[in-house]
C-alpha cells in the first residue's frame, strides 16, 4: 500500500513568538483529525525549520510525495511567487504539488463567527451588529477583491452590515470601517480579524478596533481552519496519487 503524501504546511514566519506558537497549535489540531497523514511545518522567514530544510530532510528519508500547503488566506505574492520559488529549489527526487490557499471557504466564515461568539456576541446580536472584516492587506488586486467579496457574502448571512478593512497596503483601515458602521446606525460594531496568527499587522488591527464593541481573536487553530486545511490537502493529493498509479 502506498503511503499518503506528506503534508507540508508552509507558514510565513514572524519575529513575534505568538505566530509560530499559533501555527504549531493549528498543525497539532490537523494531526489529531488525520493521524494517518504525516504533517510537517516549514517557515519562509524568521522561524525554523525553514521550508528548504524540511524538504531536504524529507528527501534524506526517501520520502517521494509531498503536498505543500500555503498557510495563507488569499492568493497574493507569497502564494504566487515566494512559495513556488522555494519549491522549485527542492531536492529533485521529491514530487511536490502546491495546494490551494485556504480562502475563500464557507468554513472560514464559520470560524470567524465562532471567534465573534467567543468574544461575547450571540446569534441574537447578528441583525443589529456591524462587522469589520479586517485582513492584513495586500498590494495584489486579486487578494483585495477576494476580501471585498467575502464581506459581501457574509453580509447576506444576517449581519446588520459587513465592511472590509486592511491593516496595510489598501484602504480603508479598521478604525475607519468601525466609524462607518457606527454612522450606518448599527447598534454594535465588532471587528473580526481575517488573519491566521498574531503578529505585527494583527496588532495593528487590534489597535484600530479601539472604538469597537467587540474584538474577536485571530482564526488560529479553530477546528474549521483545520478542516479547510485538510480539504485543500485532499484536493491536491488526488492527482499525485493518480500520477503514481495508486
Amino acid at each position: 500500500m502506498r503511503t499518503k503524501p506528506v503534508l507540508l504546511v508552509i507558514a510565513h514566519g514572524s519575529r513575534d513568538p505568538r505566530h509560530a506558537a499559533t501555527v504549531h497549535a493549528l498543525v497539532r489540531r490537523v494531526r489529531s483529525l488525520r493521524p494517518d497523514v504525516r504533517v510537517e511545518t516549514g517557515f519562509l522567514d524568521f522561524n525554523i525549520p525553514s521550508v528548504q530544510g524540511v524538504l531536504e530532510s524529507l528527501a534524506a528519508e526517501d520520502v517521494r510525495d509531498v503536498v505543500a500547503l500555503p498557510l495563507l488566506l488569499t492568493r497574493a505574492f507569497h502564494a504566487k511567487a515566494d512559495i513556488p520559488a522555494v519549491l522549485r529549489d527542492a531536492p529533485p527526487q521529491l514530487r511536490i504539488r502546491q495546494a490551494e490557499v485556504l480562502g475563500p471557504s464557507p468554513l472560514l466564515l464559520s470560524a470567524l463567527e465562532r471567534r465573534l461568539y467567543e468574544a461575547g456576541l450571540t446569534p441574537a446580536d447578528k441583525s443589529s451588529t456591524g462587522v469589520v472584516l479586517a485582513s492584513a492587506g495586500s498590494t495584489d488586486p486579486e487578494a483585495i477583491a477576494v476580501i471585498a467579496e467575502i464581506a459581501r457574502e457574509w453580509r447576506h448571512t444576517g449581519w446588520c452590515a459587513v465592511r472590509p478593512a486592511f491593516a496595510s497596503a489598501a484602504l480603508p483601515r479598521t478604525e475607519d470601517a468601525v466609524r462607518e458602521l457606527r454612522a450606518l446606525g448599527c447598534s454594535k460594531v465588532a471587528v473580526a480579524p481575517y488573519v491566521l496568527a498574531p503578529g505585527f499587522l494583527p496588532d495593528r488591527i487590534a489597535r484600530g478596533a479601539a472604538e469597537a464593541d467587540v474584538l474577536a481573536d485571530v482564526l488560529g487553530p479553530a477546528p474549521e481552519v483545520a478542516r479547510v486545511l485538510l480539504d485543500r490537502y485532499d484536493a491536491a493529493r488526488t492527482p499525485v496519487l493518480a500520477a503514481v498509479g495508486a
Side-chain angles (χ1 to χ4, degrees):
M1 177 185 295
R2 294 190 184 275
T3 58
K4 293 181 174 65
V6 172
L7 169 55
L8 172 58
V9 176
I10 300 179
H12 182 272
S14 171
R15 293 186 179 89
D16 189 323
R18 297 173 298 166
H19 175 91
T22 302
V23 170
H24 290 311
L26 174 59
V27 169
R28 285 194 298 271
R29 186 179 287 276
V30 171
R31 289 184 179 129
S32 72
L33 291 174
R34 291 284 291 276
D36 59 320
V37 176
R38 177 176 175 181
V39 187
E40 300 291 341
T41 309
F43 295 90
L44 291 173
D45 207 354
F46 302 117
N47 302 105
I48 55 174
S50 68
V51 175
Q52 187 66 28
V54 174
L55 292 171
E56 291 172 358
S57 295
L58 291 173
E61 295 177 37
D62 291 326
V63 168
R64 289 295 176 263
D65 293 313
V66 177
V67 170
L69 192 151
L71 198 60
L72 301 168
L73 294 171
T74 59
R75 271 184 51 77
F77 182 79
H78 294 303
K80 294 177 179 178
D82 284 353
I83 292 175
V86 172
L87 298 181
R88 282 195 295 271
D89 290 336
Q93 63 266 45
L94 293 175
R95 291 173 293 216
I96 304 174
R97 285 189 66 88
Q98 182 176 327
E100 292 296 328
V101 298
L102 301 185
S105 167
L107 284 170
L108 294 177
L109 288 182
S110 297
L112 287 166
E113 294 204 0
R114 170 190 291 274
R115 293 303 189 222
L116 286 170
Y117 297 149
E118 290 170 349
L121 292 180
T122 70
D125 294 319
K126 287 188 77 167
S127 63
S128 60
T129 300
V131 179
V132 178
L133 179 69
S135 77
S138 174
T139 57
D140 189 310
E142 178 187 349
I144 297 301
V146 166
I147 298 299
E149 179 60 26
I150 292 170
R152 284 192 291 269
E153 290 181 4
W154 203 15
R155 164 68 181 85
H156 295 311
T157 66
W159 296 100
C160 173
V162 180
R163 294 290 186 271
F166 307 94
S168 67
L171 297 173
R173 294 287 184 259
T174 301
E175 53 268 33
D176 296 324
V178 168
R179 292 174 188 133
E180 180 185 352
L181 290 171
R182 289 273 188 229
L184 282 175
C186 297
S187 298
K188 292 182 179 179
V189 175
V191 173
Y194 191 60
V195 293
L196 287 165
F200 176 76
L201 293 178
D203 283 349
R204 182 179 288 178
I205 290 171
R207 291 193 297 272
E211 297 178 18
D213 300 292
V214 173
L215 170 63
D217 199 357
V218 299
L219 293 172
E224 296 87 354
V225 177
R227 286 170 56 197
V228 174
L229 200 151
L230 286 169
D231 285 347
R232 299 292 185 256
Y233 166 76
D234 287 334
R237 79 182 182 94
T238 302
V240 173
L241 295 177
V244 298

